[in-house]
Structure formats: C-alpha cells, structure tokens
Amino acid sequence: MTPPENEHESTARPGEDGRRPAPAGGASPAAPAHRHRLQERVRAGRRFIREVSYPHDIHPALVPGVSIEDQRVRYGLDRPILLSVGTAVIAFVVWGVLRPQAVLELSSAALTWVTQNLGWLFTSLAAGLAVLLLVLALSRYGKIPLGLDGEKPEYSTASWAAMLFAAGIGIGIIFFGPFEPMTYYLSPRPGTVDPATDEAVTAAMAQAALHWGVNAWAIYAVVGLAVGYVSFRRGRVPLMSSILTPLFPGMTSKSAGARLIDGLAIVATLFGTAASLGIGAMQIARGTEIVTGLGPTGNATAIGIIAVLTVATIVSAVSGVGRGIRMLSNVNMVLSVGLALFFFVVGPTAFLLNVIPGVLLEYVGTLPDALAANMSEGEAMQSFLSSWTIFYWAWWVSWAPFVGIFVAKISRGRTIRQFVLGVLFIPSTIIVLAFTVLGGTAIWLQRETGAVAPDGTTASLPSPEEIFFVVLDMLPGAQLVAPLVIVVLGIFFVTTADSASLVNSQLSQGGRPDPRRRVTAFWAVCMAGIAVVMLLTGGASALQGLQNLIVVTALPFSVIIVLMCFALYKELRNDPQAIRHRFERSAVEKAVRYGVTEHGDNFALAVTPTEATSEYATGHGFDSTADEVTGWYVRRDEEGNPVAYDYGTGEYLDDAAGPEPAPAPEEAAQPAAARRDP
C-alpha cells in the first residue's frame, strides 16, 4: 500500500484498533507496529480468498452474468404438459361446439363471480405494475443490464424502437379503434361526463387510452423484464416457472409445480390469442360481406375464415417459412401505418390535430380517477367495468406470456431502465395516437352528420366488426381501401397465430428456442378451436363469449404475475451489480466517517482487509457464500451435475474431456440443427 504523499495527508484504514496511523513525513515509534498490522491483515485477506470456496473461484459480486445460450441445456418435449393441457383444451372445444349454451351459462356465472369478488386484483395489477416498473427503472436497479456486463444491445435503438412499434399494432386497433371511443362518447363511464357533449369527446378517447396505454403495457413489460433477466442475466430457460425459482427453491422445470405454472401460461395465451383471432375473423367476414355485397351471414363465414387462415398458419409452422412470416409482418406494419395516415389525411385533419394534445392531457390528468373506479360504486359502474376495464386488464394478462417473451428477446443488452421506459411508452404512444385518429374520426363524423349512430345512443351503433367499414365508407376512396383492410386483418391473423403458437410450443418443450414444428401446428389448431367456441358461445353478440372466457382463464395467471414481481425483486437485490453497489456505498460511507473522525479534512482512502465481525467490514451482515447468492452461477452439464468453468475466459474446462452427450430419446429423431450444442 502506497503511503500518503505528504505529511498533511493520511490514509483512512478502518480497523479494530482505532489508532491514528503515523504521519508519513516523520518517524514514529508506532510505525513498525502499524506496518506489521497491515501485513497481518493482507495475509488474512489472502487466506480468506483461499479458504472461502466460491463456485468457480469467483466472488458473486464479480460474476459478469450468465446467458442461457452459454448454458448446457438438453431441451425436450414436456409430454405431461402437452398431454394435460392439450387434452383439456380439446375437451373444452368439443364441449363448446356441442353445447355452446352450457358454456355461455357457466362462463357468465363465473365472470360475474370473478368481477365482483376479484375485479380488484386485475385493477391492482394494472395500476401497481406500472408504478413498480417505474420505481425499478429509476432506482439503482435501473442500470442492471438484461445480459452480461458490458454486453451491447443486440439491436440498434432505432431498430428496437421500430420492433416495439410493430408490437403495438394488431387486430384490436382496427376492431376497437372506432367502436370503443364512440361507445364512450355516447355512454361515458358512470360519474364522469354527460353523453355526446363537448367534454365527452376527449373523455371518450382518454378512456380508450387508459385501456390500451401505459397500464396495459406494464402487464406485458413485467413479464418481459422477468423473462429477459432470468434468461440473459441469470442463465435460466425462458419459462414462466423459471422466473419463480427464487420463491420455490429446488423447483425444476420437471416438477409438478413448474408444470402447473407453465401450463397455466399456455392456457392464458391460448385463450387470449384466440380472442384476437376470433374478432379478426368476425371483422374479415363482415368486411367481405360488405365489399362483395353478400349481406349478413352470421358467424358461419367467420368460422370458415378461421379454418382457412388456420390452415395457412399450420403450413407456415410446418414448412418453417419463418422469413416469409417476418416479411409479412413488416409489410403489414407499413400497411397499418398507411391506413392510419389515410384516416388522418382524408379525415378531419384539423380536428384531430387539435384534439390529440387534449386527449393526452385528459388521459394523464384523469388516470388516477379512472384507475380508482371499482365494483363497489353501484350497478352501472359494475356493468361498465365488467364489460370494459376489467375485461381489458384480464385480456392483457392472458397476452402477457406471448408479448412478454417477444419484448424480452428483442431487448437483450438493454438496461432495465431502457427496457421499462421503452416498452411502457413507445408502443402505448403509438396505440393512443391510433385510437385518437380512428376514434376521433368516428366521433367527428357523428357530431357532423349523425350517421354513425342515427339515434344518438349506443343502441344504434353498428356492430364492433362493422363500424370500421361504416366510418371508412364516409371517407373518400373507401372502395379502394376496404379490400386493403381485409388483407391487413388476414395477415395479422396469420402472423399472430404463428407467433403465439411458437411461444406455446416453446413453453411445452422446456423453453426450446427452435421448437418442433408439429407441436407448434398443434397449438395453432387449439387456438382456432377456442376461437370457434368463443364465437358460438356468444352467438349474435360474440364479444360476450370473448369476455366471459378471457376473464375467467386469465385469473390464475394474474396470481402468477404477482409472484413474478416478488421473485424478480428478490433476485435483483442479489444481482452482482447490486452487490457491488451495496459494497461501494458501505465502504465509502464507513471509510469517510472514520477518516473525518480520526484525521479531519485531509485523508485518503485505502483498501485493507478487516475481520468479518468488524463494524468497518464492507460486507458486514452479508453472507456472500449463501446459496441464494452463489447457487445461480454454478455451471452444470445437461444432467444437472456441476462442471468446471472459467469465468475469466468464458470457457468450459472439460470441453476436450469427451464427446457431446447423447440427446434425450425424444430428441434423437430430430436433425442435429434442432439440438442445442453445449
């Protein structure tokens, strides 16, 4: 240790003796004894490093992180999950096709019970998760990367923002874009504004923004953050059960509890995505009827469209034309933006430019009151929340595994702060603007012509699947744009079904990044079957069937999301970067206090070993050898046995010890490219 440069400086060395070190500029009888104590402490520190056994000889504060790609994992088909969930879904589809009325009655009763007794859970999630994420982003945890220390983001900021933008575009915007704000304009949330008034214009679009904005994306973001963190920072497979490992030590992906968690995630994703496919098919069918002049045909046409587009999805899943699906997604994003610009340019441009700032301010200003609305405020409020707000929160919960895994994949290398701010605000801004353009156009046309809802009430509104085409028909060029809308909806159907089936296939194959195509196709068929049951159950009012089944099936996964929050926070507290930050604050604070007490203004800091029990010990009260701190970065082979690994070079030390282990029986028939290398 280098002594201070002059006699006016001294080194603060917190220790047990409490004596002042001798000035460097002059001799002191205490100097030899002091140097001896320092030497003893250095030797004690070296003995500590030798004697304390850390995994792979690395302190948990110095681990750079562990990526799932660097782990030795043998993926395989989880037959219990596939058989149990698959059988249950097939049985439900058969029951729904044979006895849709029985499904409606049972699901309606369940919906009533859930909304009246547990509606608070969905509302608490929507409000609480946004707050939690912002707190994490702005805290010291916000600097933790979703990846290894020093790892650069996989995508540039512009590309990442574009992909988040694309994630915010889907069937729901076209289906609900004009319908939902118009409904709120004619029938506002109880206790807010009078119907069809000037105040109702911005209030209606602000209510829609509540359902589709920041709070919706907070539900996706917390799942995406947890998946990204455990996969790219902690080295665990991207399964919902893997996120909860800190709360249930010893739980593996093959345990009953883990399979239950992952099974519930699959069920939620199936029903949530099926709802989007169902409304998409309804709107394609109605658009086709209008464009071709067929007239109303009921749900038969929609069911036929589901069948045809599901076949297209299966073909894409089995043939592995992933590049084609990505190309279609990019084309559809461009078409969707073009569609919104069409409404903006040929519609009431000046009105929209004036109303957009008002909607954003109204949305932010009324957010607390809107989130505070609850089921105890009378029957009118109960009906509104059940039909809209709670339904939406449940729908987003059911979409969370699907969207969460997607945003996690594209966000590798981003810090938690970047992830949260990007995922919360980029797609939600796009959606709020889209709803303002579509809904604002519909409201403006209603105020100018009264043609959208002739009697000025929701009773005369066109059906949700029809209103988009009704509004479009009042704009110039509708005959050219209407067929394009049908194409956009069809592409959305195929790309959504393909992506959701892929996620479910991964969840049923242990998180395998390149899942079996036949399993993917199976889940596509299951989603299509559920969508058909939703349409049959709702009958003339298909939305009722969607609402009933989504709210009920999303409930279990909402509890899992709550547990995810606790598990994520527990792991963040012991992240290597968090440990270093804790040590930094402790070391500097204690050393400065000691230095000022012993030496006044002029002193320097030095690092010296101390006893673990010392009040000056940086890690006082922290057990760096605890399993919850060190167990996560132990490298293991495909069988779960510890193996030698050098974190300095990033290499396994037994690579030359022998050949790659044989694949699991269910993997043997797969081509080599379908198996992960060590």
Side-chain angles (χ1 to χ4, degrees), residues 420-613:
V420 169
L421 297 180
V423 175
L424 284 188
F425 295 110
I426 292 177
S428 59
T429 300
I430 300 303
I431 293 178
V432 169
L433 290 176
F435 266 79
T436 302
V437 169
L438 298 177
T441 301
I443 292 174
W444 182 83
L445 289 171
Q446 173 65 21
R447 289 166 66 87
E448 293 293 319
T449 68
V452 181
D455 69 357
T457 69
T458 55
S460 61
L461 270 179
S463 63
E465 63 269 24
E466 183 180 2
I467 189 172
F468 187 95
F469 296 101
V470 171
V471 172
L472 180 63
D473 192 52
M474 299 181 189
L475 301 176
Q479 294 77 12
L480 298 176
V481 177
L484 180 63
V485 173
I486 296 174
V487 172
V488 170
L489 288 168
I491 296 175
F492 271 138
F493 186 108
V494 174
T495 55
T496 300
D498 181 86
S499 301
S501 300
L502 183 66
V503 168
N504 280 333
S505 190
Q506 291 174 329
L507 292 175
S508 58
Q509 297 181 63
R512 179 174 178 165
D514 50 352
R516 292 184 179 186
R517 296 171 182 173
R518 286 175 295 178
V519 177
T520 304
F522 170 75
W523 292 124
V525 173
C526 288
M527 275 190 294
I530 294 171
V532 169
V533 171
M534 287 179 170
L535 297 185
L536 293 176
T537 300
S541 179
L543 273 180
Q544 184 63 50
L546 303 180
Q547 291 169 338
N548 290 2
L549 294 172
I550 286 175
V551 173
V552 173
T553 56
L555 178 61
F557 195 73
S558 64
V559 177
I560 293 174
I561 290 180
V562 174
L563 296 176
M564 283 183 183
C565 297
F566 287 102
L568 178 62
Y569 178 71
K570 185 176 182 180
E571 289 208 293
L572 289 177
R573 290 182 69 250
N574 289 323
D575 184 88
Q577 186 164 302
I579 296 174
R580 294 196 298 270
H581 182 269
R582 191 183 312 159
F583 280 13
E584 289 166 7
R585 291 184 59 184
S586 175
V588 172
E589 179 180 354
K590 292 176 180 179
V592 168
R593 285 182 176 274
Y594 179 84
V596 172
T597 301
E598 295 295 319
H599 310 294
D601 296 340
N602 302 307
F603 61 92
L605 305 185
V607 178
T608 61
T610 65
E611 296 295 330
T613 57

Side-chain angles (χ1 to χ4, degrees), residues 159-185:
S159 297
W160 181 62
M163 286 185 281
L164 289 176
F165 171 83
I169 301 176
I171 293 172
I173 295 179
I174 299 177
F175 189 88
F176 287 104
F179 177 72
E180 189 176 343
M182 268 298 299
T183 302
Y184 302 148
Y185 173 70

Side-chain angles (χ1 to χ4, degrees), residues 13-33:
R13 301 185 179 95
E16 286 66 45
D17 58 350
R19 297 180 184 175
R20 180 192 303 268
S28 169

Side-chain angles (χ1 to χ4, degrees), residues 62-79:
L62 302 178
V63 178
V66 180
S67 172
I68 181 60
E69 283 82 5
D70 296 332
Q71 296 282 61
R72 292 180 167 180
V73 180
R74 176 177 288 126
Y75 297 102
L77 180 64
D78 197 323
R79 297 185 187 277

Side-chain angles (χ1 to χ4, degrees), residues 13-97:
R13 301 185 179 95
E16 286 66 45
D17 58 350
R19 297 180 184 175
R20 180 192 303 268
S28 169
H34 179 65
R35 285 194 294 271
H36 177 72
R37 286 194 299 271
L38 289 180
Q39 292 169 355
E40 283 298 318
R41 290 175 182 175
V42 170
R43 284 194 289 268
R46 291 172 178 170
R47 286 196 301 271
F48 173 80
I49 295 297
R50 289 195 300 268
E51 293 171 2
V52 175
S53 178
Y54 291 115
H56 310 293
D57 296 324
I58 184 170
H59 191 282
L62 302 178
V63 178
V66 180
S67 172
I68 181 60
E69 283 82 5
D70 296 332
Q71 296 282 61
R72 292 180 167 180
V73 180
R74 176 177 288 126
Y75 297 102
L77 180 64
D78 197 323
R79 297 185 187 277
I81 285 184
L82 181 65
L83 292 176
S84 59
V85 177
T87 301
V89 169
I90 292 173
F92 169 80
V93 171
V94 172
W95 179 42
V97 170

